[in-house]
Amino acid sequence: MQINPWEAEQILAVAGSSQQSKTVLDYFADQVDYQIQTQLVSELMARYVEVSRQLEVRNRQLEQSDANRREAQIIAALGNWQMNLATNRLWWSDTMKELLDLPDSEDAEIERFLETVHPEDLPLIQTVLEELYRGAEPPPCQLRLVMKDGQIKWVHIRCVVHRESEETQWVHGTIQDITAAKLIEEQLKKYNDHLEELVEEKVKVISATQLSTIYALVKLAESRDDDTGD
């Protein structure tokens, strides 16, 4: 509320005693306080609206970023996980649950993961866990998982250790389905082994042919001349 000069002059003219002056001053003070409060509330509301708008934009960006991340992980058959070494608390992404063929309601537990590991690869993953608990960072490894339907799935595991303090250590890792690449690798190995067998067999045939040719020439020379045959 604004007070123009004429109103101020009229109020001062009416004020004829100290009590009246105090009343006038109190009135002015109330008006000033009211104007300041009104201005502050307006500024706060404007800032609140701007912050809310920025948060909304940021949330949309984060949602889009998370959607892009999940889509990229699905395309790459990649999951990510985290584990607190002090409490054994484990977290894994929804794409990792899909990779392990687990329901969305399944809790992240190291025992649940170990249940899916192929029996022949359990010593390998146990060694990896022992190195992690010692504070070491194990090299990447490949192992087999057994799905509910008996299907064998090859995965590539990679992890890094982050130390927040002496008591708190986090492991951040990824797990990627490499079954298709592993099948191609096995087919190439079989093909190479078959080629080696063919080459070895061909060498034996050529060697036998060469020996037969030499023997025939020797026999021919013996039939013509004993000295040349010798």
Side-chain angles (χ1 to χ4, degrees):
M1 178 178 179
Q2 298 290 340
I3 301 176
N4 56 48
W6 183 84
E7 290 177 334
E9 184 178 353
Q10 291 295 111
I11 294 173
L12 289 174
V14 172
S17 64
S18 59
Q19 182 62 36
Q20 289 176 331
S21 298
K22 182 178 182 302
T23 302
V24 172
L25 291 175
D26 289 341
Y27 174 77
F28 272 106
D30 291 341
Q31 297 304 313
V32 170
D33 289 341
Y34 176 77
Q35 292 178 16
I36 292 175
Q37 291 176 2
T38 302
Q39 184 178 0
L40 286 175
V41 170
S42 299
E43 290 179 359
L44 288 174
M45 290 299 296
R47 292 182 181 180
Y48 173 78
V49 171
E50 178 61 21
V51 170
S52 298
R53 186 191 65 80
Q54 293 178 1
L55 285 176
E56 184 178 355
V57 171
R58 184 58 177 168
N59 286 334
R60 285 200 300 266
Q61 292 175 346
L62 290 174
E63 290 176 359
Q64 183 62 42
S65 176
D66 186 67
N68 292 339
R69 174 197 60 79
R70 189 177 188 282
E71 183 178 3
Q73 288 187 337
I74 292 175
I75 294 174
L78 181 72
N80 62 296
W81 52 275
Q82 298 178 8
M83 184 172 68
N84 188 321
L85 295 177
T87 62
N88 285 334
R89 186 163 59 89
L90 182 66
W91 172 90
W92 53 38
S93 63
D94 49 359
T95 50
M96 182 169 174
K97 288 185 180 180
E98 294 176 5
L99 191 149
L100 297 177
D101 195 20
L102 298 176
D104 293 338
S105 58
E106 188 77 30
D107 293 332
E109 296 179 352
I110 187 63
E111 292 79 9
R112 187 66 186 90
F113 171 74
L114 293 176
E115 290 175 0
T116 65
V117 177
H118 194 282
E120 295 179 2
D121 294 336
L122 277 174
L124 172 61
I125 197 65
Q126 291 290 357
T127 301
V128 171
L129 290 174
E130 289 174 3
E131 291 184 7
L132 287 174
Y133 285 119
R134 286 201 307 267
E137 194 167 293
C141 64
Q142 296 180 2
L143 53 86
R144 291 163 292 178
L145 303 179
V146 182
M147 300 293 98
K148 295 178 181 178
D149 57 0
Q151 175 191 358
I152 301 297
K153 183 177 292 185
W154 279 91
V155 294
H156 182 84
I157 296 178
R158 183 188 300 269
C159 58
V160 293
V161 178
H162 295 280
R163 295 176 178 83
E164 295 181 358
S165 65
E166 290 296 330
E167 296 78 16
T168 306
Q169 295 183 6
W170 282 90
V171 181
H172 299 256
T174 59
I175 180 170
Q176 185 173 21
D177 185 356
I178 58 171
T179 305
K182 203 68 179 179
L183 291 176
I184 294 175
E185 180 182 331
E186 291 179 356
Q187 291 176 356
L188 286 175
K189 185 178 184 302
K190 290 180 180 179
Y191 181 71
N192 289 334
D193 292 343
H194 182 59
L195 282 179
E196 289 179 1
E197 292 175 358
L198 290 177
V199 170
E200 185 178 353
E201 183 179 351
K202 195 67 176 177
V203 169
K204 290 180 180 179
V205 172
I206 293 173
S207 298
T209 302
Q210 289 176 342
L211 291 175
S212 298
T213 302
I214 293 172
Y215 183 74
L217 290 173
V218 170
K219 285 297 183 181
L220 179 62
E222 287 179 347
S223 64
R224 300 287 297 274
D225 181 0
D226 292 341
D227 294 334
T228 303
D230 293 337

